[in-house]
Coordinates of all heavy atoms in Angstrom, one line a residue:
M1301 N -18.0 0.3 11.3 CA -17.5 -0.6 10.3 C -18.6 -1.6 9.9 O -19.3 -2.2 10.7 CB -16.4 -1.4 10.9 CG -15.1 -0.5 11.2 SD -14.3 -0.2 9.7 CE -13.5 -1.7 9.2
S1302 N -18.7 -1.7 8.7 CA -19.7 -2.7 8.1 C -18.9 -4.0 7.6 O -17.7 -3.8 7.2 CB -20.5 -2.2 7.0 OG -19.7 -1.8 5.8
T1303 N -19.5 -5.1 7.8 CA -18.9 -6.3 7.4 C -19.0 -6.5 5.9 O -20.1 -6.2 5.4 CB -19.4 -7.5 8.1 OG1 -20.8 -7.5 8.0 CG2 -19.0 -7.4 9.6
L1304 N -18.0 -7.0 5.3 CA -18.1 -7.2 3.8 C -19.1 -8.3 3.6 O -18.9 -9.4 4.2 CB -16.7 -7.6 3.2 CG -15.8 -6.4 2.9 CD1 -14.5 -6.9 2.4 CD2 -16.5 -5.6 1.8
C1305 N -19.9 -8.3 2.5 CA -20.8 -9.3 2.2 C -19.9 -10.4 1.4 O -19.4 -10.0 0.3 CB -21.9 -8.7 1.3 SG -22.7 -10.0 0.3
Q1306 N -19.9 -11.5 1.9 CA -19.1 -12.6 1.1 C -19.8 -13.0 -0.1 O -19.1 -13.5 -1.0 CB -18.9 -13.9 2.1 CG -18.0 -13.5 3.2 CD -16.6 -13.0 2.8 OE1 -16.0 -13.7 1.9 NE2 -16.1 -11.9 3.3
H1307 N -21.1 -12.9 -0.1 CA -21.8 -13.3 -1.4 C -21.4 -12.4 -2.6 O -21.2 -13.0 -3.7 CB -23.4 -13.1 -1.2 CG -23.9 -13.7 0.0 ND1 -24.2 -13.0 1.1 CD2 -24.2 -15.0 0.2 CE1 -24.7 -14.0 2.0 NE2 -24.7 -15.2 1.6
L1308 N -21.2 -11.1 -2.4 CA -20.8 -10.2 -3.4 C -19.4 -10.3 -3.7 O -19.0 -10.2 -4.8 CB -21.2 -8.8 -3.1 CG -22.8 -8.6 -3.0 CD1 -23.2 -7.1 -2.7 CD2 -23.5 -8.9 -4.4
T1309 N -18.5 -10.4 -2.7 CA -17.1 -10.4 -2.9 C -16.6 -11.6 -3.6 O -15.7 -11.7 -4.3 CB -16.3 -10.3 -1.5 OG1 -16.8 -11.3 -0.7 CG2 -16.5 -8.9 -1.0
T1310 N -17.5 -12.8 -3.5 CA -17.1 -13.9 -4.1 C -17.8 -14.2 -5.5 O -17.7 -15.2 -6.1 CB -17.3 -15.2 -3.3 OG1 -18.7 -15.3 -2.9 CG2 -16.5 -15.2 -2.1
L1311 N -18.6 -13.2 -5.9 CA -19.5 -13.3 -7.1 C -18.5 -13.2 -8.3 O -17.7 -12.2 -8.4 CB -20.4 -12.1 -7.2 CG -21.5 -12.2 -8.3 CD1 -22.4 -13.4 -8.2 CD2 -22.2 -10.9 -8.3
D1312 N -18.6 -14.1 -9.2 CA -17.7 -14.2 -10.4 C -18.4 -13.3 -11.5 O -19.4 -13.8 -12.2 CB -17.6 -15.6 -10.9 CG -16.6 -15.6 -12.1 OD1 -16.3 -14.6 -12.6 OD2 -16.4 -16.7 -12.6
T1313 N -18.1 -12.0 -11.6 CA -18.8 -11.1 -12.5 C -18.5 -11.3 -14.0 O -19.1 -10.8 -14.9 CB -18.6 -9.7 -12.1 OG1 -17.2 -9.5 -12.2 CG2 -19.2 -9.3 -10.7
Q1314 N -17.5 -12.2 -14.2 CA -17.1 -12.5 -15.6 C -18.1 -13.6 -16.1 O -18.1 -13.9 -17.3 CB -15.7 -13.1 -15.7 CG -14.6 -12.0 -15.3 CD -14.8 -10.7 -16.1 OE1 -14.8 -10.7 -17.3 NE2 -14.8 -9.6 -15.4
H1315 N -18.7 -14.4 -15.2 CA -19.5 -15.4 -15.6 C -20.9 -15.4 -14.9 O -21.4 -16.3 -14.3 CB -18.8 -16.8 -15.3 CG -17.5 -17.0 -16.0 ND1 -16.4 -16.6 -15.4 CD2 -17.3 -17.4 -17.3 CE1 -15.3 -16.8 -16.3 NE2 -15.9 -17.3 -17.4
L1316 N -21.5 -14.2 -15.1 CA -22.9 -14.0 -14.5 C -24.0 -14.8 -15.3 O -23.8 -15.0 -16.5 CB -23.2 -12.6 -14.4 CG -22.4 -11.8 -13.5 CD1 -22.8 -10.2 -13.7 CD2 -22.6 -12.2 -12.1
R1317 N -25.0 -15.3 -14.6 CA -26.1 -15.8 -15.2 C -26.9 -14.6 -16.0 O -27.0 -13.5 -15.4 CB -27.0 -16.4 -14.3 CG -26.5 -17.7 -13.6 CD -27.4 -18.2 -12.6 NE -26.9 -19.4 -12.0 CZ -27.0 -20.6 -12.4 NH1 -27.7 -20.9 -13.5 NH2 -26.6 -21.7 -11.6
R1318 N -27.3 -14.9 -17.2 CA -28.0 -13.8 -18.0 C -29.4 -14.3 -18.3 O -29.7 -15.5 -18.2 CB -27.3 -13.7 -19.4 CG -25.8 -13.4 -19.2 CD -25.6 -11.8 -19.0 NE -24.1 -11.7 -18.8 CZ -23.6 -10.5 -18.3 NH1 -24.4 -9.5 -18.0 NH2 -22.3 -10.3 -18.2
D1319 N -30.3 -13.4 -18.6 CA -31.6 -13.8 -19.1 C -31.5 -13.9 -20.6 O -30.7 -13.3 -21.2 CB -32.7 -12.9 -18.6 CG -32.6 -11.4 -19.2 OD1 -31.4 -11.0 -19.5 OD2 -33.6 -10.8 -19.5
T1320 N -32.3 -14.7 -21.1 CA -32.3 -14.9 -22.5 C -33.6 -14.4 -23.2 O -33.5 -13.8 -24.4 CB -32.3 -16.4 -22.9 OG1 -33.4 -17.1 -22.2 CG2 -31.0 -17.0 -22.5
Q1321 N -34.8 -14.3 -22.6 CA -35.9 -13.8 -23.2 C -36.4 -12.5 -22.7 O -37.1 -11.8 -23.4 CB -37.1 -14.8 -22.8 CG -36.9 -16.2 -23.4 CD -38.0 -17.2 -23.2 OE1 -38.4 -17.4 -22.0 NE2 -38.6 -17.7 -24.2
H1322 N -35.8 -11.9 -21.8 CA -36.1 -10.6 -21.2 C -37.5 -10.5 -20.9 O -38.2 -9.5 -21.2 CB -35.5 -9.5 -22.0 CG -35.2 -8.3 -21.3 ND1 -34.1 -8.2 -20.4 CD2 -35.6 -7.0 -21.2 CE1 -34.1 -7.0 -19.9 NE2 -35.0 -6.3 -20.4
I1323 N -38.1 -11.4 -20.2 CA -39.5 -11.4 -19.7 C -39.6 -11.9 -18.2 O -38.6 -12.5 -17.8 CB -40.5 -12.2 -20.4 CG1 -40.1 -13.7 -20.4 CG2 -40.6 -11.7 -21.9 CD1 -41.1 -14.7 -20.9
C1324 N -40.5 -11.5 -17.4 CA -40.8 -12.0 -16.2 C -41.8 -13.2 -16.4 O -42.9 -12.9 -16.6 CB -41.3 -11.0 -15.1 SG -41.7 -11.9 -13.6
P1325 N -41.4 -14.4 -16.3 CA -42.3 -15.5 -16.7 C -43.5 -15.6 -15.7 O -44.6 -16.0 -16.2 CB -41.4 -16.8 -16.6 CG -40.0 -16.3 -16.7 CD -40.0 -15.0 -16.1
E1326 N -43.3 -15.3 -14.5 CA -44.4 -15.3 -13.5 C -45.5 -14.2 -13.9 O -46.6 -14.4 -13.7 CB -43.9 -15.3 -12.1 CG -43.1 -16.5 -11.7 CD -42.3 -16.3 -10.4 OE1 -42.8 -16.4 -9.4 OE2 -41.0 -16.0 -10.6
C1327 N -45.0 -13.0 -14.3 CA -45.9 -12.0 -14.7 C -46.7 -12.4 -15.9 O -47.8 -12.1 -16.1 CB -45.2 -10.7 -14.9 SG -44.8 -9.9 -13.3
V1328 N -46.0 -13.0 -16.8 CA -46.6 -13.4 -18.1 C -47.7 -14.4 -17.8 O -48.8 -14.3 -18.3 CB -45.6 -14.0 -19.1 CG1 -46.3 -14.6 -20.3 CG2 -44.6 -13.0 -19.6
A1329 N -47.5 -15.3 -16.9 CA -48.4 -16.3 -16.5 C -49.6 -15.7 -15.8 O -50.7 -16.2 -15.9 CB -47.8 -17.4 -15.5
L1330 N -49.4 -14.5 -15.1 CA -50.5 -13.9 -14.4 C -51.2 -12.9 -15.3 O -52.2 -12.3 -15.0 CB -50.0 -13.1 -13.2 CG -49.4 -13.8 -12.1 CD1 -48.7 -12.9 -11.1 CD2 -50.6 -14.5 -11.3
G1331 N -50.7 -12.6 -16.5 CA -51.1 -11.6 -17.3 C -50.9 -10.2 -16.8 O -51.5 -9.3 -17.2
S1332 N -49.8 -10.1 -16.1 CA -49.4 -8.9 -15.5 C -48.2 -8.2 -16.2 O -47.7 -8.8 -17.1 CB -49.1 -9.0 -14.0 OG -48.9 -7.8 -13.4
T1333 N -47.8 -7.0 -15.7 CA -46.6 -6.4 -16.4 C -45.7 -6.1 -15.2 O -45.8 -6.3 -14.1 CB -47.1 -5.0 -17.0 OG1 -47.7 -4.2 -16.0 CG2 -48.0 -5.3 -18.2
W1334 N -44.4 -5.7 -15.7 CA -43.3 -5.4 -14.8 C -42.5 -4.2 -15.2 O -42.8 -3.6 -16.3 CB -42.4 -6.6 -14.7 CG -41.9 -7.0 -16.1 CD1 -40.7 -6.4 -16.6 CD2 -42.3 -7.9 -17.1 NE1 -40.5 -6.9 -17.9 CE2 -41.6 -7.8 -18.2 CE3 -43.6 -8.6 -17.1 CZ2 -41.8 -8.6 -19.3 CZ3 -43.8 -9.4 -18.1 CH2 -42.9 -9.3 -19.2
V1335 N -41.7 -3.7 -14.4 CA -40.9 -2.5 -14.6 C -39.5 -2.9 -15.1 O -39.1 -2.5 -16.1 CB -40.9 -1.5 -13.5 CG1 -40.1 -0.2 -13.8 CG2 -42.4 -1.1 -13.1
H1336 N -38.8 -3.6 -14.2 CA -37.4 -3.9 -14.5 C -37.2 -5.5 -14.1 O -38.0 -5.9 -13.3 CB -36.4 -3.1 -13.7 CG -36.4 -1.6 -14.1 ND1 -36.5 -0.6 -13.2 CD2 -36.3 -1.1 -15.3 CE1 -36.5 0.5 -13.8 NE2 -36.3 0.3 -15.0
L1337 N -36.2 -6.0 -14.6 CA -36.1 -7.5 -14.4 C -34.7 -7.6 -13.7 O -33.7 -7.0 -14.0 CB -35.9 -8.2 -15.7 CG -37.3 -8.3 -16.5 CD1 -37.0 -9.0 -17.9 CD2 -38.4 -9.0 -15.7
R1338 N -34.8 -8.6 -12.8 CA -33.6 -9.0 -12.0 C -33.3 -10.5 -12.2 O -34.2 -11.3 -12.4 CB -33.9 -8.8 -10.5 CG -34.3 -7.4 -10.2 CD -33.3 -6.3 -10.5 NE -33.7 -4.9 -10.3 CZ -33.7 -4.0 -11.1 NH1 -33.2 -4.1 -12.4 NH2 -34.1 -2.7 -10.7
I1339 N -32.0 -10.9 -12.1 CA -31.6 -12.3 -12.3 C -31.0 -12.9 -11.1 O -30.1 -12.3 -10.5 CB -30.7 -12.4 -13.5 CG1 -31.2 -11.7 -14.7 CG2 -30.3 -13.9 -13.7 CD1 -30.1 -11.6 -15.7
C1340 N -31.5 -14.0 -10.5 CA -30.9 -14.7 -9.4 C -29.8 -15.5 -9.9 O -29.7 -16.2 -10.8 CB -32.0 -15.8 -9.0 SG -31.2 -16.8 -7.6
Q1341 N -28.6 -15.1 -9.1 CA -27.3 -15.7 -9.6 C -27.1 -17.1 -9.0 O -26.1 -17.6 -9.3 CB -26.2 -14.7 -9.2 CG -26.2 -13.4 -10.0 CD -26.0 -13.6 -11.5 OE1 -25.3 -14.5 -12.0 NE2 -26.8 -13.0 -12.3
A1342 N -27.9 -17.5 -8.2 CA -27.8 -18.9 -7.7 C -28.4 -19.9 -8.6 O -27.9 -21.0 -8.8 CB -28.6 -19.0 -6.3
C1343 N -29.6 -19.5 -9.3 CA -30.3 -20.5 -10.1 C -30.7 -19.9 -11.4 O -31.2 -20.7 -12.3 CB -31.5 -21.0 -9.3 SG -32.8 -19.9 -9.2
G1344 N -30.6 -18.7 -11.7 CA -30.8 -18.0 -13.0 C -32.4 -17.7 -13.1 O -32.8 -17.2 -14.1
H1345 N -33.1 -17.7 -12.0 CA -34.4 -17.3 -12.1 C -34.6 -15.9 -12.4 O -33.7 -15.0 -11.9 CB -35.1 -17.5 -10.6 CG -36.4 -16.9 -10.4 ND1 -36.6 -15.5 -10.0 CD2 -37.6 -17.3 -10.5 CE1 -37.9 -15.3 -9.9 NE2 -38.5 -16.4 -10.2
V1346 N -35.5 -15.5 -13.3 CA -35.7 -14.1 -13.7 C -37.0 -13.7 -13.1 O -38.0 -14.3 -13.2 CB -35.7 -14.0 -15.3 CG1 -36.0 -12.5 -15.6 CG2 -34.5 -14.4 -15.9
G1347 N -36.9 -12.5 -12.4 CA -38.1 -12.0 -11.8 C -38.1 -10.5 -11.9 O -37.1 -9.9 -12.1
C1348 N -39.2 -9.8 -11.4 CA -39.4 -8.4 -11.6 C -39.0 -7.7 -10.3 O -39.0 -8.3 -9.2 CB -40.8 -8.1 -12.0 SG -42.1 -8.8 -11.2
C1349 N -38.7 -6.5 -10.5 CA -38.0 -5.6 -9.4 C -39.2 -5.2 -8.4 O -40.3 -5.5 -8.6 CB -37.4 -4.4 -10.0 SG -38.5 -3.2 -10.7
D1350 N -38.7 -4.4 -7.3 CA -39.7 -4.0 -6.3 C -40.4 -2.7 -6.8 O -41.4 -2.3 -6.1 CB -38.9 -3.6 -5.0 CG -38.4 -4.9 -4.3 OD1 -38.8 -6.0 -4.7 OD2 -37.7 -4.8 -3.3
D1351 N -40.2 -2.2 -7.9 CA -41.0 -1.2 -8.5 C -42.2 -1.8 -9.3 O -43.2 -1.1 -9.7 CB -40.3 -0.2 -9.5 CG -39.3 0.6 -8.6 OD1 -39.5 0.9 -7.5 OD2 -38.2 0.9 -9.3
S1352 N -42.1 -3.1 -9.5 CA -43.1 -3.8 -10.2 C -44.3 -4.2 -9.3 O -44.0 -4.5 -8.1 CB -42.5 -5.0 -10.9 OG -41.4 -4.7 -11.8
P1353 N -45.5 -4.5 -9.8 CA -46.6 -4.8 -8.9 C -46.4 -6.1 -8.2 O -46.8 -6.3 -7.0 CB -47.8 -4.8 -9.7 CG -47.4 -4.3 -11.1 CD -45.9 -4.2 -11.2
N1354 N -45.7 -7.1 -8.8 CA -45.6 -8.4 -8.2 C -44.3 -8.8 -7.5 O -44.3 -9.8 -6.8 CB -46.0 -9.4 -9.3 CG -47.4 -9.3 -9.8 OD1 -48.3 -9.5 -9.1 ND2 -47.5 -9.0 -11.1
K1355 N -43.3 -7.9 -7.7 CA -41.9 -8.1 -7.0 C -41.6 -9.6 -7.0 O -41.2 -10.1 -6.0 CB -42.2 -7.6 -5.5 CG -42.6 -6.2 -5.4 CD -42.7 -5.8 -4.0 CE -42.9 -4.3 -3.6 NZ -44.1 -3.8 -4.2
H1356 N -41.5 -10.1 -8.1 CA -41.2 -11.6 -8.2 C -39.7 -11.9 -7.9 O -39.4 -13.0 -7.3 CB -41.5 -12.2 -9.5 CG -43.0 -12.4 -9.7 ND1 -43.7 -11.9 -10.9 CD2 -43.7 -13.1 -9.0 CE1 -44.9 -12.2 -10.7 NE2 -45.0 -12.9 -9.7
A1357 N -38.8 -10.9 -8.0 CA -37.4 -11.2 -7.6 C -37.3 -11.3 -6.1 O -36.6 -12.3 -5.5 CB -36.5 -10.1 -8.2
T1358 N -37.9 -10.4 -5.4 CA -37.9 -10.5 -4.0 C -38.6 -11.7 -3.4 O -38.2 -12.3 -2.4 CB -38.5 -9.2 -3.3 OG1 -37.6 -8.0 -3.8 CG2 -38.5 -9.2 -1.8
K1359 N -39.8 -12.0 -4.1 CA -40.5 -13.2 -3.6 C -39.7 -14.5 -3.8 O -39.8 -15.4 -3.0 CB -41.8 -13.3 -4.5 CG -42.9 -12.4 -3.9 CD -44.2 -12.4 -4.8 CE -45.2 -11.4 -4.2 NZ -46.4 -11.3 -5.2
H1360 N -38.9 -14.4 -4.9 CA -38.0 -15.6 -5.1 C -37.0 -15.7 -4.0 O -36.7 -16.8 -3.5 CB -37.4 -15.5 -6.4 CG -36.4 -16.5 -6.8 ND1 -36.7 -17.8 -7.0 CD2 -34.9 -16.6 -6.8 CE1 -35.7 -18.6 -7.3 NE2 -34.6 -17.8 -7.2
F1361 N -36.5 -14.6 -3.5 CA -35.5 -14.6 -2.4 C -36.2 -15.2 -1.2 O -35.7 -16.1 -0.5 CB -34.9 -13.3 -2.1 CG -34.3 -13.2 -0.8 CD1 -33.1 -13.9 -0.6 CD2 -34.8 -12.5 0.3 CE1 -32.5 -13.9 0.8 CE2 -34.2 -12.4 1.5 CZ -33.1 -13.2 1.8
H1362 N -37.4 -14.8 -0.9 CA -38.0 -15.2 0.3 C -38.4 -16.7 0.3 O -38.4 -17.4 1.2 CB -39.3 -14.3 0.6 CG -39.0 -13.0 1.1 ND1 -38.2 -12.8 2.3 CD2 -39.2 -11.8 0.5 CE1 -38.0 -11.4 2.4 NE2 -38.7 -10.8 1.4
A1363 N -38.6 -17.1 -1.0 CA -39.1 -18.5 -1.2 C -37.9 -19.5 -1.1 O -37.9 -20.6 -0.6 CB -39.8 -18.8 -2.4
T1364 N -36.7 -19.0 -1.6 CA -35.5 -19.9 -1.8 C -34.3 -19.4 -1.0 O -33.4 -20.4 -0.9 CB -35.1 -19.8 -3.2 OG1 -34.6 -18.5 -3.5 CG2 -36.2 -20.2 -4.2
Q1365 N -34.3 -18.3 -0.4 CA -33.1 -17.7 0.3 C -31.8 -17.6 -0.7 O -30.7 -17.5 -0.1 CB -32.7 -18.6 1.5 CG -33.9 -18.7 2.5 CD -34.3 -17.4 3.1 OE1 -33.4 -16.6 3.6 NE2 -35.5 -16.9 2.9
H1366 N -32.0 -17.7 -1.9 CA -31.0 -17.4 -2.8 C -30.5 -15.9 -2.7 O -31.4 -15.0 -2.9 CB -31.3 -17.6 -4.2 CG -31.5 -19.1 -4.6 ND1 -32.3 -19.5 -5.7 CD2 -31.2 -20.2 -3.9 CE1 -32.3 -20.9 -5.7 NE2 -31.6 -21.2 -4.6
P1367 N -29.3 -15.6 -2.4 CA -29.0 -14.3 -1.8 C -28.9 -13.2 -2.8 O -29.1 -12.1 -2.5 CB -27.7 -14.5 -1.0 CG -27.1 -15.6 -1.6 CD -28.2 -16.5 -2.1
V1368 N -28.3 -13.5 -3.9 CA -27.8 -12.4 -4.9 C -28.5 -12.3 -6.2 O -28.7 -13.3 -6.9 CB -26.2 -12.7 -5.3 CG1 -25.8 -11.7 -6.2 CG2 -25.4 -12.6 -3.9
I1369 N -28.9 -11.1 -6.6 CA -29.6 -10.8 -7.9 C -28.6 -9.9 -8.6 O -28.0 -9.0 -7.9 CB -31.0 -10.2 -7.8 CG1 -31.0 -9.0 -6.9 CG2 -31.9 -11.3 -7.3 CD1 -32.2 -8.2 -7.0
T1370 N -28.7 -9.8 -9.8 CA -28.2 -8.7 -10.7 C -29.2 -8.2 -11.5 O -30.3 -8.7 -11.7 CB -27.1 -9.2 -11.5 OG1 -27.6 -10.3 -12.4 CG2 -25.9 -9.8 -10.8
S1371 N -29.1 -6.9 -12.0 CA -30.0 -6.3 -12.9 C -29.9 -7.0 -14.2 O -28.8 -7.3 -14.8 CB -29.6 -4.8 -13.0 OG -30.5 -4.2 -14.0
A1372 N -31.1 -7.1 -14.9 CA -31.1 -7.6 -16.3 C -31.2 -6.5 -17.2 O -31.4 -6.7 -18.4 CB -32.2 -8.6 -16.4
E1373 N -31.2 -5.3 -16.8 CA -31.5 -4.2 -17.6 C -30.1 -3.8 -18.3 O -29.1 -3.7 -17.8 CB -31.9 -2.9 -16.8 CG -33.3 -3.2 -16.1 CD -34.3 -3.7 -17.1 OE1 -34.5 -3.0 -18.1 OE2 -35.0 -4.6 -16.7
P1374 N -30.2 -3.5 -19.6 CA -29.0 -3.1 -20.4 C -28.5 -1.8 -19.8 O -29.0 -0.9 -19.5 CB -29.6 -2.8 -21.8 CG -30.9 -3.5 -21.9 CD -31.5 -3.6 -20.5
G1375 N -27.1 -1.9 -19.7 CA -26.4 -0.8 -19.2 C -26.3 -0.7 -17.6 O -25.5 0.0 -17.1
E1376 N -27.1 -1.6 -16.9 CA -27.0 -1.6 -15.5 C -26.0 -2.8 -15.1 O -26.2 -3.9 -15.6 CB -28.4 -1.7 -14.9 CG -29.2 -0.6 -15.0 CD -30.5 -0.7 -14.2 OE1 -30.6 -1.7 -13.4 OE2 -31.4 0.1 -14.4
R1377 N -25.0 -2.4 -14.3 CA -24.0 -3.4 -13.9 C -23.9 -3.4 -12.4 O -22.9 -2.7 -11.9 CB -22.7 -3.1 -14.6 CG -22.8 -3.3 -16.2 CD -21.4 -2.7 -16.9 NE -20.3 -3.4 -16.4 CZ -19.9 -4.6 -17.0 NH1 -20.7 -5.1 -18.1 NH2 -18.9 -5.1 -16.7
W1378 N -24.8 -4.0 -11.7 CA -24.7 -4.0 -10.3 C -25.3 -5.4 -9.8 O -26.2 -6.0 -10.5 CB -25.4 -2.9 -9.6 CG -26.8 -2.6 -9.9 CD1 -27.2 -1.7 -10.9 CD2 -28.0 -3.2 -9.5 NE1 -28.5 -1.7 -11.0 CE2 -29.1 -2.7 -10.2 CE3 -28.2 -4.2 -8.6 CZ2 -30.4 -3.0 -9.9 CZ3 -29.6 -4.6 -8.4 CH2 -30.6 -4.0 -9.0
A1379 N -24.9 -5.7 -8.6 CA -25.4 -7.0 -7.9 C -25.9 -6.5 -6.5 O -25.4 -5.7 -5.9 CB -24.4 -8.1 -7.8
W1380 N -26.9 -7.2 -6.1 CA -27.6 -6.9 -4.9 C -27.7 -8.1 -3.9 O -28.1 -9.2 -4.4 CB -29.0 -6.3 -5.0 CG -29.7 -6.1 -3.7 CD1 -30.8 -6.9 -3.3 CD2 -29.6 -5.0 -2.7 NE1 -31.2 -6.4 -2.1 CE2 -30.6 -5.3 -1.7 CE3 -28.7 -4.0 -2.6 CZ2 -30.6 -4.5 -0.6 CZ3 -28.9 -3.1 -1.5 CH2 -29.8 -3.5 -0.5
C1381 N -27.3 -8.0 -2.6 CA -27.4 -9.1 -1.9 C -28.5 -8.9 -0.8 O -28.4 -7.8 -0.1 CB -26.1 -9.4 -1.0 SG -26.3 -10.8 0.2
Y1382 N -29.6 -9.7 -0.9 CA -30.7 -9.5 0.0 C -30.3 -9.8 1.5 O -30.9 -9.1 2.4 CB -31.9 -10.5 -0.3 CG -32.6 -10.1 -1.6 CD1 -32.5 -10.9 -2.7 CD2 -33.5 -9.1 -1.5 CE1 -33.3 -10.5 -3.9 CE2 -34.2 -8.7 -2.7 CZ -34.1 -9.5 -3.8 OH -34.8 -9.2 -4.9
V1383 N -29.4 -10.7 1.7 CA -29.1 -11.1 3.0 C -28.4 -10.0 3.7 O -28.8 -9.6 4.9 CB -28.2 -12.4 3.0 CG1 -27.8 -12.8 4.5 CG2 -29.0 -13.6 2.5
D1384 N -27.3 -9.4 3.1 CA -26.6 -8.3 3.8 C -27.1 -7.0 3.4 O -26.6 -6.0 3.9 CB -25.1 -8.5 3.4 CG -24.5 -9.8 3.9 OD1 -24.5 -10.1 5.2 OD2 -24.2 -10.7 3.0
E1385 N -28.0 -6.9 2.4 CA -28.5 -5.6 1.9 C -27.4 -4.8 1.5 O -27.2 -3.6 2.0 CB -29.4 -4.9 3.0 CG -30.6 -5.7 3.4 CD -31.6 -5.0 4.2 OE1 -31.1 -4.1 5.0 OE2 -32.8 -5.3 4.1
D1386 N -26.7 -5.3 0.6 CA -25.4 -4.6 0.1 C -25.4 -4.7 -1.4 O -25.8 -5.6 -2.0 CB -24.2 -5.4 0.7 CG -22.9 -4.6 0.7 OD1 -23.0 -3.4 0.3 OD2 -22.0 -5.1 1.1
L1387 N -24.9 -3.5 -1.9 CA -24.8 -3.4 -3.4 C -23.4 -3.4 -3.9 O -22.5 -2.8 -3.2 CB -25.5 -2.0 -3.8 CG -25.6 -1.8 -5.3 CD1 -26.9 -2.5 -5.9 CD2 -25.8 -0.3 -5.5
R1388 N -23.2 -4.1 -5.0 CA -21.8 -4.0 -5.6 C -21.9 -3.7 -7.1 O -22.7 -4.4 -7.9 CB -21.2 -5.3 -5.5 CG -19.7 -5.3 -6.1 CD -19.1 -6.7 -6.0 NE -18.1 -6.9 -7.0 CZ -17.4 -8.1 -7.2 NH1 -17.8 -9.1 -6.5 NH2 -16.4 -8.1 -8.1
E1389 N -21.2 -2.7 -7.6 CA -21.2 -2.4 -9.0 C -20.0 -3.1 -9.5 O -19.0 -3.3 -8.9 CB -21.1 -0.9 -9.2 CG -22.3 -0.1 -8.7 CD -22.2 1.3 -9.1 OE1 -21.9 1.7 -10.2 OE2 -22.6 2.1 -8.2
Y1390 N -20.2 -3.6 -10.8 CA -19.0 -4.3 -11.4 C -18.8 -3.8 -12.9 O -19.5 -2.9 -13.4 CB -19.4 -5.8 -11.4 CG -20.6 -6.2 -12.2 CD1 -20.5 -6.4 -13.6 CD2 -21.8 -6.2 -11.5 CE1 -21.7 -6.7 -14.2 CE2 -22.9 -6.6 -12.2 CZ -22.9 -6.9 -13.5 OH -24.0 -7.2 -14.2
Ligands
ZN930 ZN1 -24.3 -11.2 1.1
ZN931 ZN1 -43.0 -10.6 -12.2
ZN932 ZN1 -32.7 -18.6 -7.4

């Protein structure tokens, strides 16, 4: 039996934080590139995925402990909790 992730079960998927510019600002500052973008649902931080060289979304979690990200990619509808390592599609 796995325990339910409370971060994901209480996530309001009707009112998710969205990205507006569709860039990873930290990669832009570095002059780097990214593969996919993720959005922190605690603060709206936009960072790049673990397939990207700089992994800014995961670095943001380690820096802030904000648990939940969603994909910023069009057509992708899922949320990931770093704390519980759990995925929820919505
Ligand atoms: Zn969780
Ligand atoms: Zn990045
Ligand atoms: Zn955050």
Side-chain angles (χ1 to χ4, degrees):
M1301 290 289 286
S1302 62
T1303 53
L1304 275 177
C1305 165
Q1306 292 302 311
H1307 307 102
L1308 293 179
T1309 52
T1310 58
L1311 186 68
D1312 182 358
T1313 56
Q1314 300 302 311
H1315 301 93
L1316 292 174
R1317 294 177 182 273
R1318 308 275 178 195
D1319 69 326
T1320 51
Q1321 296 183 301
H1322 212 65
I1323 59 168
C1324 177
E1326 289 165 82
C1327 281
V1328 171
L1330 291 169
S1332 187
T1333 57
W1334 58 89
V1335 180
H1336 296 127
L1337 295 175
R1338 309 298 182 227
I1339 306 166
C1340 172
Q1341 291 300 319
C1343 71
H1345 170 273
V1346 178
C1348 48
C1349 70
D1350 285 355
D1351 293 329
S1352 307
N1354 297 297
K1355 301 181 171 65
H1356 283 127
T1358 297
K1359 282 179 182 168
H1360 177 71
F1361 164 68
H1362 288 301
T1364 62
Q1365 302 299 306
H1366 292 162
V1368 175
I1369 55 164
T1370 55
S1371 176
E1373 300 304 315
E1376 291 190 8
R1377 296 169 64 84
W1378 54 261
W1380 170 258
C1381 176
Y1382 283 109
V1383 175
D1384 298 293
E1385 300 190 327
D1386 203 1
L1387 185 80
R1388 175 184 163 188
E1389 294 183 44
Y1390 59 89

